[in-house]
Amino acid sequence: MAWVLPGVYFVLTIAHEGVRLGRKTYIVNMAEGNQRTDYVSVSNTLIGFVLLFMGGVTAWLSQWGLMVVIAVLSALGLLGALMARALPEVER
């Protein structure tokens, strides 16, 4: 059991990096010219605010236990994956 949590953390870290790379690639392919830097900078700022907000939310949720935090974050991840499937295709 001691190796399960580090293994899950490793997989989640790889998934997080994949999401970050995918977000930036999608924005770069969607934008044109000088808009690319604007979109990436706004996107990075918004993600920073979302991470700070969700850190507070998960800290608040932790009073009900770790499983509640994991369940809420898992549900949000699934919702995000479903929403990502609805994004229009952009290719260059």
PDB file of all heavy atoms in Angstrom, residues 13-36:
ATOM      1  N   THR A  13       0.635  13.666 -11.809  1.00  0.00           N
ATOM      2  CA  THR A  13       1.588  14.697 -12.216  1.00  0.00           C
ATOM      3  C   THR A  13       1.800  14.674 -13.726  1.00  0.00           C
ATOM      4  O   THR A  13       1.823  15.727 -14.372  1.00  0.00           O
ATOM      5  CB  THR A  13       2.929  14.507 -11.487  1.00  0.00           C
ATOM      6  OG1 THR A  13       2.693  14.539 -10.089  1.00  0.00           O
ATOM      7  CG2 THR A  13       3.917  15.598 -11.849  1.00  0.00           C
ATOM      8  N   ILE A  14       1.917  13.500 -14.296  1.00  0.00           N
ATOM      9  CA  ILE A  14       2.052  13.383 -15.750  1.00  0.00           C
ATOM     10  C   ILE A  14       0.793  13.891 -16.437  1.00  0.00           C
ATOM     11  O   ILE A  14       0.865  14.617 -17.437  1.00  0.00           O
ATOM     12  CB  ILE A  14       2.380  11.940 -16.157  1.00  0.00           C
ATOM     13  CG1 ILE A  14       3.791  11.586 -15.700  1.00  0.00           C
ATOM     14  CG2 ILE A  14       2.233  11.743 -17.667  1.00  0.00           C
ATOM     15  CD1 ILE A  14       4.184  10.152 -15.940  1.00  0.00           C
ATOM     16  N   ALA A  15      -0.376  13.544 -15.901  1.00  0.00           N
ATOM     17  CA  ALA A  15      -1.634  14.019 -16.479  1.00  0.00           C
ATOM     18  C   ALA A  15      -1.732  15.540 -16.394  1.00  0.00           C
ATOM     19  O   ALA A  15      -2.160  16.198 -17.357  1.00  0.00           O
ATOM     20  CB  ALA A  15      -2.814  13.372 -15.764  1.00  0.00           C
ATOM     21  N   HIS A  16      -1.312  16.097 -15.283  1.00  0.00           N
ATOM     22  CA  HIS A  16      -1.354  17.558 -15.115  1.00  0.00           C
ATOM     23  C   HIS A  16      -0.458  18.256 -16.140  1.00  0.00           C
ATOM     24  O   HIS A  16      -0.853  19.251 -16.753  1.00  0.00           O
ATOM     25  CB  HIS A  16      -0.928  17.922 -13.690  1.00  0.00           C
ATOM     26  CG  HIS A  16      -0.855  19.385 -13.436  1.00  0.00           C
ATOM     27  ND1 HIS A  16      -1.969  20.173 -13.334  1.00  0.00           N
ATOM     28  CD2 HIS A  16       0.199  20.209 -13.276  1.00  0.00           C
ATOM     29  CE1 HIS A  16      -1.602  21.422 -13.115  1.00  0.00           C
ATOM     30  NE2 HIS A  16      -0.287  21.469 -13.080  1.00  0.00           N
ATOM     31  N   GLU A  17       0.733  17.724 -16.333  1.00  0.00           N
ATOM     32  CA  GLU A  17       1.637  18.308 -17.322  1.00  0.00           C
ATOM     33  C   GLU A  17       1.064  18.176 -18.736  1.00  0.00           C
ATOM     34  O   GLU A  17       1.211  19.071 -19.563  1.00  0.00           O
ATOM     35  CB  GLU A  17       3.016  17.654 -17.240  1.00  0.00           C
ATOM     36  CG  GLU A  17       3.787  18.029 -15.990  1.00  0.00           C
ATOM     37  CD  GLU A  17       4.017  19.528 -15.860  1.00  0.00           C
ATOM     38  OE1 GLU A  17       4.341  20.183 -16.870  1.00  0.00           O
ATOM     39  OE2 GLU A  17       3.879  20.034 -14.743  1.00  0.00           O
ATOM     40  N   GLY A  18       0.406  17.054 -19.007  1.00  0.00           N
ATOM     41  CA  GLY A  18      -0.234  16.871 -20.310  1.00  0.00           C
ATOM     42  C   GLY A  18      -1.343  17.881 -20.537  1.00  0.00           C
ATOM     43  O   GLY A  18      -1.495  18.423 -21.632  1.00  0.00           O
ATOM     44  N   VAL A  19      -2.110  18.150 -19.497  1.00  0.00           N
ATOM     45  CA  VAL A  19      -3.179  19.141 -19.602  1.00  0.00           C
ATOM     46  C   VAL A  19      -2.598  20.523 -19.841  1.00  0.00           C
ATOM     47  O   VAL A  19      -3.094  21.288 -20.682  1.00  0.00           O
ATOM     48  CB  VAL A  19      -4.058  19.120 -18.333  1.00  0.00           C
ATOM     49  CG1 VAL A  19      -4.982  20.324 -18.276  1.00  0.00           C
ATOM     50  CG2 VAL A  19      -4.857  17.833 -18.274  1.00  0.00           C
ATOM     51  N   ARG A  20      -1.537  20.860 -19.123  1.00  0.00           N
ATOM     52  CA  ARG A  20      -0.899  22.172 -19.320  1.00  0.00           C
ATOM     53  C   ARG A  20      -0.382  22.326 -20.752  1.00  0.00           C
ATOM     54  O   ARG A  20      -0.574  23.357 -21.396  1.00  0.00           O
ATOM     55  CB  ARG A  20       0.247  22.359 -18.326  1.00  0.00           C
ATOM     56  CG  ARG A  20      -0.214  22.533 -16.909  1.00  0.00           C
ATOM     57  CD  ARG A  20       0.941  22.739 -15.964  1.00  0.00           C
ATOM     58  NE  ARG A  20       1.601  23.996 -16.300  1.00  0.00           N
ATOM     59  CZ  ARG A  20       2.897  24.206 -16.134  1.00  0.00           C
ATOM     60  NH1 ARG A  20       3.671  23.271 -15.647  1.00  0.00           N
ATOM     61  NH2 ARG A  20       3.421  25.360 -16.451  1.00  0.00           N
ATOM     62  N   LEU A  21       0.293  21.289 -21.246  1.00  0.00           N
ATOM     63  CA  LEU A  21       0.826  21.340 -22.601  1.00  0.00           C
ATOM     64  C   LEU A  21      -0.303  21.407 -23.628  1.00  0.00           C
ATOM     65  O   LEU A  21      -0.240  22.189 -24.585  1.00  0.00           O
ATOM     66  CB  LEU A  21       1.714  20.120 -22.868  1.00  0.00           C
ATOM     67  CG  LEU A  21       2.336  20.034 -24.250  1.00  0.00           C
ATOM     68  CD1 LEU A  21       3.258  21.220 -24.498  1.00  0.00           C
ATOM     69  CD2 LEU A  21       3.096  18.734 -24.396  1.00  0.00           C
ATOM     70  N   GLY A  22      -1.346  20.625 -23.414  1.00  0.00           N
ATOM     71  CA  GLY A  22      -2.485  20.640 -24.332  1.00  0.00           C
ATOM     72  C   GLY A  22      -3.181  21.987 -24.361  1.00  0.00           C
ATOM     73  O   GLY A  22      -3.585  22.480 -25.412  1.00  0.00           O
ATOM     74  N   ARG A  23      -3.324  22.613 -23.188  1.00  0.00           N
ATOM     75  CA  ARG A  23      -3.964  23.930 -23.118  1.00  0.00           C
ATOM     76  C   ARG A  23      -3.162  24.955 -23.903  1.00  0.00           C
ATOM     77  O   ARG A  23      -3.703  25.712 -24.702  1.00  0.00           O
ATOM     78  CB  ARG A  23      -4.086  24.360 -21.651  1.00  0.00           C
ATOM     79  CG  ARG A  23      -4.588  25.776 -21.453  1.00  0.00           C
ATOM     80  CD  ARG A  23      -4.711  26.121 -19.983  1.00  0.00           C
ATOM     81  NE  ARG A  23      -3.540  25.816 -19.187  1.00  0.00           N
ATOM     82  CZ  ARG A  23      -2.558  26.673 -18.944  1.00  0.00           C
ATOM     83  NH1 ARG A  23      -2.583  27.870 -19.473  1.00  0.00           N
ATOM     84  NH2 ARG A  23      -1.537  26.315 -18.192  1.00  0.00           N
ATOM     85  N   LYS A  24      -1.861  24.950 -23.705  1.00  0.00           N
ATOM     86  CA  LYS A  24      -1.027  25.930 -24.404  1.00  0.00           C
ATOM     87  C   LYS A  24      -0.993  25.650 -25.896  1.00  0.00           C
ATOM     88  O   LYS A  24      -1.043  26.576 -26.718  1.00  0.00           O
ATOM     89  CB  LYS A  24       0.376  25.942 -23.816  1.00  0.00           C
ATOM     90  CG  LYS A  24       0.400  26.542 -22.430  1.00  0.00           C
ATOM     91  CD  LYS A  24       1.766  26.527 -21.825  1.00  0.00           C
ATOM     92  CE  LYS A  24       1.695  27.071 -20.411  1.00  0.00           C
ATOM     93  NZ  LYS A  24       2.959  27.054 -19.732  1.00  0.00           N
ATOM     94  N   THR A  25      -0.930  24.394 -26.281  1.00  0.00           N
ATOM     95  CA  THR A  25      -0.921  24.049 -27.704  1.00  0.00           C
ATOM     96  C   THR A  25      -2.228  24.452 -28.357  1.00  0.00           C
ATOM     97  O   THR A  25      -2.250  25.004 -29.449  1.00  0.00           O
ATOM     98  CB  THR A  25      -0.676  22.536 -27.886  1.00  0.00           C
ATOM     99  OG1 THR A  25       0.554  22.194 -27.260  1.00  0.00           O
ATOM    100  CG2 THR A  25      -0.633  22.161 -29.346  1.00  0.00           C
ATOM    101  N   TYR A  26      -3.340  24.188 -27.690  1.00  0.00           N
ATOM    102  CA  TYR A  26      -4.650  24.559 -28.234  1.00  0.00           C
ATOM    103  C   TYR A  26      -4.741  26.068 -28.415  1.00  0.00           C
ATOM    104  O   TYR A  26      -5.187  26.554 -29.443  1.00  0.00           O
ATOM    105  CB  TYR A  26      -5.757  24.068 -27.295  1.00  0.00           C
ATOM    106  CG  TYR A  26      -7.147  24.288 -27.840  1.00  0.00           C
ATOM    107  CD1 TYR A  26      -7.703  23.385 -28.729  1.00  0.00           C
ATOM    108  CD2 TYR A  26      -7.899  25.401 -27.479  1.00  0.00           C
ATOM    109  CE1 TYR A  26      -8.964  23.572 -29.239  1.00  0.00           C
ATOM    110  CE2 TYR A  26      -9.158  25.604 -27.978  1.00  0.00           C
ATOM    111  CZ  TYR A  26      -9.700  24.691 -28.857  1.00  0.00           C
ATOM    112  OH  TYR A  26     -10.954  24.886 -29.368  1.00  0.00           O
ATOM    113  N   ILE A  27      -4.294  26.822 -27.422  1.00  0.00           N
ATOM    114  CA  ILE A  27      -4.360  28.282 -27.505  1.00  0.00           C
ATOM    115  C   ILE A  27      -3.461  28.796 -28.618  1.00  0.00           C
ATOM    116  O   ILE A  27      -3.849  29.676 -29.387  1.00  0.00           O
ATOM    117  CB  ILE A  27      -3.988  28.917 -26.155  1.00  0.00           C
ATOM    118  CG1 ILE A  27      -5.104  28.659 -25.154  1.00  0.00           C
ATOM    119  CG2 ILE A  27      -3.733  30.398 -26.286  1.00  0.00           C
ATOM    120  CD1 ILE A  27      -4.775  29.081 -23.753  1.00  0.00           C
ATOM    121  N   VAL A  28      -2.265  28.258 -28.733  1.00  0.00           N
ATOM    122  CA  VAL A  28      -1.338  28.715 -29.773  1.00  0.00           C
ATOM    123  C   VAL A  28      -1.899  28.398 -31.157  1.00  0.00           C
ATOM    124  O   VAL A  28      -1.809  29.202 -32.077  1.00  0.00           O
ATOM    125  CB  VAL A  28       0.061  28.089 -29.564  1.00  0.00           C
ATOM    126  CG1 VAL A  28       0.938  28.265 -30.780  1.00  0.00           C
ATOM    127  CG2 VAL A  28       0.723  28.708 -28.347  1.00  0.00           C
ATOM    128  N   ASN A  29      -2.513  27.235 -31.320  1.00  0.00           N
ATOM    129  CA  ASN A  29      -3.098  26.884 -32.614  1.00  0.00           C
ATOM    130  C   ASN A  29      -4.353  27.689 -32.911  1.00  0.00           C
ATOM    131  O   ASN A  29      -4.677  27.932 -34.072  1.00  0.00           O
ATOM    132  CB  ASN A  29      -3.429  25.394 -32.669  1.00  0.00           C
ATOM    133  CG  ASN A  29      -2.194  24.542 -32.786  1.00  0.00           C
ATOM    134  OD1 ASN A  29      -1.119  25.027 -33.126  1.00  0.00           O
ATOM    135  ND2 ASN A  29      -2.328  23.273 -32.480  1.00  0.00           N
ATOM    136  N   MET A  30      -5.071  28.107 -31.891  1.00  0.00           N
ATOM    137  CA  MET A  30      -6.311  28.847 -32.083  1.00  0.00           C
ATOM    138  C   MET A  30      -6.029  30.309 -32.432  1.00  0.00           C
ATOM    139  O   MET A  30      -6.706  30.891 -33.280  1.00  0.00           O
ATOM    140  CB  MET A  30      -7.147  28.775 -30.806  1.00  0.00           C
ATOM    141  CG  MET A  30      -8.443  29.544 -30.852  1.00  0.00           C
ATOM    142  SD  MET A  30      -9.337  29.454 -29.290  1.00  0.00           S
ATOM    143  CE  MET A  30      -8.245  30.363 -28.215  1.00  0.00           C
ATOM    144  N   ALA A  31      -5.041  30.897 -31.792  1.00  0.00           N
ATOM    145  CA  ALA A  31      -4.774  32.331 -31.944  1.00  0.00           C
ATOM    146  C   ALA A  31      -3.935  32.600 -33.185  1.00  0.00           C
ATOM    147  O   ALA A  31      -3.274  31.715 -33.717  1.00  0.00           O
ATOM    148  CB  ALA A  31      -4.061  32.854 -30.709  1.00  0.00           C
ATOM    149  N   GLU A  32      -3.955  33.843 -33.592  1.00  0.00           N
ATOM    150  CA  GLU A  32      -3.161  34.256 -34.746  1.00  0.00           C
ATOM    151  C   GLU A  32      -2.302  35.453 -34.366  1.00  0.00           C
ATOM    152  O   GLU A  32      -2.730  36.333 -33.638  1.00  0.00           O
ATOM    153  CB  GLU A  32      -4.076  34.623 -35.906  1.00  0.00           C
ATOM    154  CG  GLU A  32      -4.922  33.460 -36.368  1.00  0.00           C
ATOM    155  CD  GLU A  32      -5.592  33.744 -37.700  1.00  0.00           C
ATOM    156  OE1 GLU A  32      -5.196  34.707 -38.375  1.00  0.00           O
ATOM    157  OE2 GLU A  32      -6.494  32.985 -38.046  1.00  0.00           O
ATOM    158  N   GLY A  33      -1.094  35.451 -34.852  1.00  0.00           N
ATOM    159  CA  GLY A  33      -0.199  36.589 -34.681  1.00  0.00           C
ATOM    160  C   GLY A  33       0.097  36.916 -33.233  1.00  0.00           C
ATOM    161  O   GLY A  33       0.457  36.059 -32.441  1.00  0.00           O
ATOM    162  N   ASN A  34      -0.050  38.205 -32.908  1.00  0.00           N
ATOM    163  CA  ASN A  34       0.267  38.687 -31.560  1.00  0.00           C
ATOM    164  C   ASN A  34      -0.751  38.248 -30.517  1.00  0.00           C
ATOM    165  O   ASN A  34      -0.506  38.394 -29.326  1.00  0.00           O
ATOM    166  CB  ASN A  34       0.369  40.209 -31.553  1.00  0.00           C
ATOM    167  CG  ASN A  34       1.594  40.689 -32.307  1.00  0.00           C
ATOM    168  OD1 ASN A  34       2.554  39.945 -32.470  1.00  0.00           O
ATOM    169  ND2 ASN A  34       1.549  41.924 -32.764  1.00  0.00           N
ATOM    170  N   GLN A  35      -1.887  37.715 -30.940  1.00  0.00           N
ATOM    171  CA  GLN A  35      -2.881  37.251 -29.983  1.00  0.00           C
ATOM    172  C   GLN A  35      -2.368  36.060 -29.174  1.00  0.00           C
ATOM    173  O   GLN A  35      -2.834  35.824 -28.066  1.00  0.00           O
ATOM    174  CB  GLN A  35      -4.163  36.825 -30.693  1.00  0.00           C
ATOM    175  CG  GLN A  35      -4.987  37.953 -31.237  1.00  0.00           C
ATOM    176  CD  GLN A  35      -6.243  37.418 -31.893  1.00  0.00           C
ATOM    177  OE1 GLN A  35      -6.226  36.349 -32.504  1.00  0.00           O
ATOM    178  NE2 GLN A  35      -7.322  38.170 -31.766  1.00  0.00           N
ATOM    179  N   ARG A  36      -1.429  35.330 -29.724  1.00  0.00           N
ATOM    180  CA  ARG A  36      -0.932  34.132 -29.049  1.00  0.00           C
ATOM    181  C   ARG A  36      -0.363  34.461 -27.669  1.00  0.00           C
ATOM    182  O   ARG A  36      -0.700  33.812 -26.686  1.00  0.00           O
ATOM    183  CB  ARG A  36       0.128  33.433 -29.891  1.00  0.00           C
ATOM    184  CG  ARG A  36      -0.448  32.793 -31.110  1.00  0.00           C
ATOM    185  CD  ARG A  36       0.609  32.140 -31.947  1.00  0.00           C
ATOM    186  NE  ARG A  36      -0.045  31.541 -33.104  1.00  0.00           N
ATOM    187  CZ  ARG A  36       0.577  31.164 -34.187  1.00  0.00           C
ATOM    188  NH1 ARG A  36       1.888  31.311 -34.269  1.00  0.00           N
ATOM    189  NH2 ARG A  36      -0.082  30.632 -35.182  1.00  0.00           N
TER     190      ARG A  36
END
